[in-house]
Amino acid sequence: MAKVRLSGAQATMLATLYGRAVDARSSRSVLHDTAALEAVERLEFDFATTGMRRGDEVGVALRAGHLDAWTREYLAAHPQATVLHLACGLDSRVRRVDPGPGVRWYDVDFPDVIDLRRQVFPEPPGGRYELIASSVTDPAWLADIPADLPVLVVAEGLTMYLKPDEGAALLRRIVDHFPAGQFVFDAFSRRGIKLQKLNGPVQAAGATLYWGVDDPAELEAVYPGRLRCVTAMSAFDLDGYDRLPARLRVVAAIGRWVPLMRDMSLFYRLEF
């Protein structure tokens, strides 16, 4: 059993890991992430302390599955590509997506997270795969990544933990480094950031949210003339909310029609 010694933003990955594991146990599983279930069983940790509530696992699985689908779509169009999976945590996305032989895949996260990852996922997925032990905001790690292929940057549950200047600088560095590519990620609006005290996993981990985005134009303005938003969609527009418990289905139905709720959590695709 691997002991967990994480706090703050890093500890929130335990909630999403647990959500994917609970979903994997369900007869109506969305993601079928058995690797998450195996990882949970290898950790010495009380997952009841993550702040997850009944039904939250469906939202976790839908979010992950949506970004998986965008990842597969990009790699189908670009079989020779580099994937930067930023703040990978204990996410088995590389196994779920199963990229082809022409894809270089890099999982990037803090050194203590990467060390824990090696313990719970002892067998590498094979192929052109590497772990990078670094904060995603440290400019140094990117210099070692070959810049000869288009890039897909996947960031699930990351942007809101960055300060706005950190997030903008990260986007600019990647755009400057690669010839072309795409970012796929989720983000909160400023109202979503203000309501972080209602976010159970964030509060349980003692984490703080910073960066809220209210309009795709704010993201395009990070690098005028290079970044363009091709998709911006509400989390409430994901398919599969019929799997939620009744009380959460009501919330999701209201969220689709109330703009202040609808725009609090969004998915973005940016191209350059």
Side-chain angles (χ1 to χ4, degrees):
M1 299 287 284
K3 293 187 177 181
V4 177
R5 298 182 179 88
L6 300 174
S7 61
Q10 295 177 52
T12 60
M13 71 178 187
L14 298 166
T16 51
L17 172 67
Y18 185 54
R20 294 192 302 273
V22 172
D23 171 72
R25 293 191 191 107
S26 171
S27 60
R28 302 185 69 203
S29 176
V30 173
L31 204 58
H32 305 284
D33 190 350
T34 56
L37 189 57
E38 292 167 3
V40 162
E41 293 169 349
R42 294 185 180 118
L43 291 173
E44 185 178 319
F45 183 75
D46 180 6
F47 284 93
T49 66
T50 60
M52 293 286 287
R53 298 166 297 180
R54 180 177 172 269
D56 287 351
E57 73 278 359
V58 177
V60 167
L62 289 175
R63 179 178 75 168
H66 183 72
L67 291 176
D68 284 358
W70 275 356
T71 300
R72 292 188 187 100
E73 182 179 328
Y74 186 86
L75 296 181
H78 302 84
Q80 304 285 326
T82 293
V83 175
L84 303 180
H85 186 199
L86 304 184
C88 61
L90 297 178
D91 194 333
S92 57
R93 173 163 283 118
V94 66
R95 290 170 167 81
R96 296 195 305 269
V97 170
D98 190 22
V103 175
R104 299 190 192 107
W105 187 293
Y106 298 89
D107 275 343
V108 188
D109 214 318
F110 288 104
D112 49 352
V113 175
I114 294 299
D115 179 64
L116 189 61
R117 186 179 179 89
R118 287 191 172 104
Q119 295 179 65
V120 299
F121 298 131
E123 295 298 325
R128 304 166 78 185
Y129 173 79
E130 289 187 36
L131 291 167
I132 297 178
S134 173
S135 166
V136 299
T137 60
D138 184 342
W141 67 268
L142 187 59
D144 295 328
I145 306 297
D148 56 331
L149 296 174
V151 67
L152 176 69
V153 182
V154 187
E156 179 181 344
L158 168 64
T159 61
M160 57 286 295
Y161 294 99
L162 301 177
K163 294 180 179 177
D165 59 333
E166 293 175 330
L170 176 61
L171 294 180
R172 285 193 292 267
R173 278 196 298 274
I174 292 172
V175 171
D176 282 337
H177 189 76
F178 290 95
Q182 193 174 95
F183 296 85
V184 296
F185 59 95
D186 58 327
F188 287 164
S189 68
R190 289 180 178 82
R191 179 174 292 273
I193 298 296
K194 288 179 180 178
L195 294 177
Q196 61 185 280
K197 289 186 177 180
L198 302 180
N199 189 313
V202 169
Q203 295 306 303
T208 302
L209 307 180
Y210 297 100
W211 190 15
V213 178
D214 286 341
D215 191 288
E218 296 175 24
L219 296 167
E220 294 176 334
V222 167
Y223 209 136
R226 291 294 309 276
L227 277 176
R228 59 189 179 277
C229 181
V230 295
T231 308
M233 62 173 287
S234 171
F236 288 110
D237 286 335
L238 296 177
D239 293 330
Y241 280 115
D242 58 310
R243 299 169 187 260
L244 288 167
R247 64 178 178 84
L248 295 180
R249 287 201 301 273
V250 172
V251 172
I254 295 171
R256 287 190 176 98
W257 294 101
V258 178
L260 288 179
M261 289 181 64
R262 177 181 172 81
D263 296 337
M264 280 200 305
S265 179
L266 294 105
F267 292 89
Y268 290 102
R269 269 196 295 199
L270 305 179
E271 286 187 350
F272 65 93

